[in-house]
Amino acid sequence: MHTRVLRVDPVIPEPAVLAEAASVLRRGGLVAFPTETVYGLGANASDPDAVARIFRAKGRPAGNPLIVHVAAKDQAQELTSEWPEAADRLSARFWPGPLTLVLLRNPRVPDIVTAGGATVALRVPAHPVALALLRTVHTPLAAPSANRSSHLSPTRPEHVRRSLDGRIDLLLDAGSTTGGVESTVLDVSTSPPRLLRPGLISPAQIEAVVGPIQRLASPAGGALRSPGLLARHYAPTAPLECVNVDAAARVEALCRTGMRVGWLTFTGAELAHLPELRRIMMPSDVTAYAAEMYAALHSLDEAGVERIIVTMPPDTEEWLAVRDRLRRASSGPI
Ligand code: AMP
Ligand code: MG
């Protein structure tokens, strides 16, 4: 059976649509909904059976905890056993918004949500549909990205449908999401706070509020505190290579072997003569790049390319989250 799709206004969501989605969620169903980062796959976070359906629909390993979305700070506090000052300041500054805070959990949070861990990841999303849905349903929603595990994140409703059609109960279609890259994940159960996954909120923005934070641990070193640190994640079907220097030469060499190649680049007319090449011009502005990145990779997958080459953006903090996702999408060493 196909998944039911309901159109919803991205700015002023229709109350009847929200009520329908809330009723599906209250019955233990799965609803994909837009957030300001990517589409999320929501279930009632206080219902372990509903949350188990998320893991089944995505094929997600049980050891990978979920982010819980809440309507406001007080709802977040009910799910924690400690609320440090850093959480207070950061939530006041960035919620609603794309910052996920990892905190010591309250025992009432089901184990399946936290993968049995002592912490829970929480955020208040800023997308009007996500926020209105949370206010309508009156329960926290566990919501990872609405895609099969380890695949590309969805920024458009058709991405969700391609990945999860028939496996979830309802998709709220509000068009493209605006942010494009997943939330920043920051552990505030430790002092100083520790960045677990770079995202739309930069380390500099966070440090302006709480002072110095610990930067990303090397993915190779020690136990993984955050599953978002897995080396390969967010990956397209075709092998992807990140190239820092002279990507055009690499693209040309691959095309010469007869391979169908997709190329994310910044430059104009280079290699325009190669018929097998699908070249996608990416914006040089980081915000626009982030918003378009997953859709560009989805379109290359759909076109059936055999290899994807990415001309890497500069190695500056501004591009931290985009470079992080591109490296994780790559098949080579990171
Ligand atoms: P996604 O699968 O795209 O929803 O990403 C969920 C991310 O949330 C994971 O990759 C982790 O980085 C993070 N996360 C969720 N819960 C926790 C937690 N308790 N501790 C640390 N990170 C968490
Ligand atoms: Mg995901």
Side-chain angles (χ1 to χ4, degrees):
M1 235 197 14
H2 289 300
T3 292
R4 198 151 59 107
V5 181
L6 289 177
R7 295 288 296 272
V8 61
D9 189 291
V11 182
I12 307 169
E14 296 81 353
V17 177
L18 298 169
E20 177 56 23
S23 124
V24 171
L25 289 162
R26 280 194 214 102
R27 290 197 302 264
L30 300 183
V31 176
F33 61 92
T35 79
E36 74 277 31
T37 61
V38 303
Y39 270 79
L41 179 58
N44 179 351
S46 52
D47 176 350
D49 294 333
V51 177
R53 284 188 198 108
I54 291 183
F55 283 87
R56 279 204 297 278
K58 283 181 61 97
R60 185 176 176 102
N64 196 351
L66 304 177
I67 295 174
V68 178
H69 294 66
V70 291
K73 180 180 112 174
D74 53 344
Q75 203 176 31
Q77 287 175 306
E78 286 170 19
L79 302 176
T80 62
S81 58
E82 204 177 87
W83 189 260
E85 197 195 331
D88 232 26
R89 290 177 181 226
L90 290 165
S91 58
R93 170 69 184 80
F94 295 113
W95 283 0
L99 177 66
T100 296
L101 299 177
V102 171
L103 290 135
L104 286 179
R105 71 188 267 209
N106 184 297
R108 74 163 66 105
V109 180
D111 275 341
I112 188 167
V113 171
T114 66
T119 56
V120 61
L122 298 164
R123 89 174 181 103
V124 179
H127 193 293
V129 172
L131 205 48
L133 179 61
L134 284 160
R135 287 177 181 154
T136 304
V137 72
H138 292 303
T139 173
L141 297 177
S145 52
N147 55 278
R148 299 281 191 109
S149 188
S150 89
H151 288 193
L152 289 172
S153 293
T155 55
R156 297 182 180 173
E158 56 267 30
H159 301 156
V160 179
R161 250 205 325 252
R162 254 199 316 277
S163 201
L164 294 173
D165 187 31
R167 305 175 73 87
I168 63 177
D169 300 293
L170 179 64
L171 163 61
L172 295 184
D173 171 353
S176 294
T177 64
T178 49
V181 166
E182 300 81 356
S183 62
T184 305
V185 181
L186 185 75
D187 188 347
V188 287
S189 72
T190 60
S191 186
R194 200 156 69 97
L195 182 69
L196 297 179
R197 177 173 76 180
L200 293 172
I201 306 281
S202 71
Q205 284 176 288
I206 293 168
E207 289 184 328
V209 178
V210 289
I213 60 170
Q214 288 174 266
R215 298 304 166 95
L216 226 45
S218 148
L224 289 176
R225 186 67 191 277
S226 165
L229 297 179
L230 286 174
R232 188 171 157 84
H233 206 96
Y234 319 111
T237 308
L240 180 150
E241 292 176 28
C242 298
V243 182
N244 287 297
V245 184
D246 206 2
R250 178 70 182 142
V251 169
E252 190 162 23
L254 287 171
C255 287
R256 277 191 203 295
T257 70
M259 196 180 257
R260 289 194 307 280
V261 178
W263 185 19
L264 264 51
T265 178
F266 297 101
T267 44
E270 270 184 305
L271 305 184
H273 58 284
L274 293 174
E276 291 301 309
L277 177 61
R278 281 188 171 256
R279 207 181 37 174
I280 300 186
M281 289 284 294
M282 296 300 289
S284 52
D285 168 69
V286 63
T287 307
Y289 192 111
E292 291 174 28
M293 177 176 65
Y294 284 125
L297 295 173
H298 276 287
S299 77
L300 291 177
D301 258 357
E302 254 183 285
V305 301
E306 297 160 280
R307 189 70 58 90
I308 297 173
I309 303 298
V310 177
T311 299
M312 283 299 265
D315 187 7
T316 58
E317 191 153 290
E318 183 189 32
W319 288 93
L320 189 67
V322 164
R323 285 175 58 93
D324 171 80
R325 300 308 188 275
L326 289 170
R327 282 199 307 269
R328 284 180 219 284
S330 77
S331 41
I334 59 167

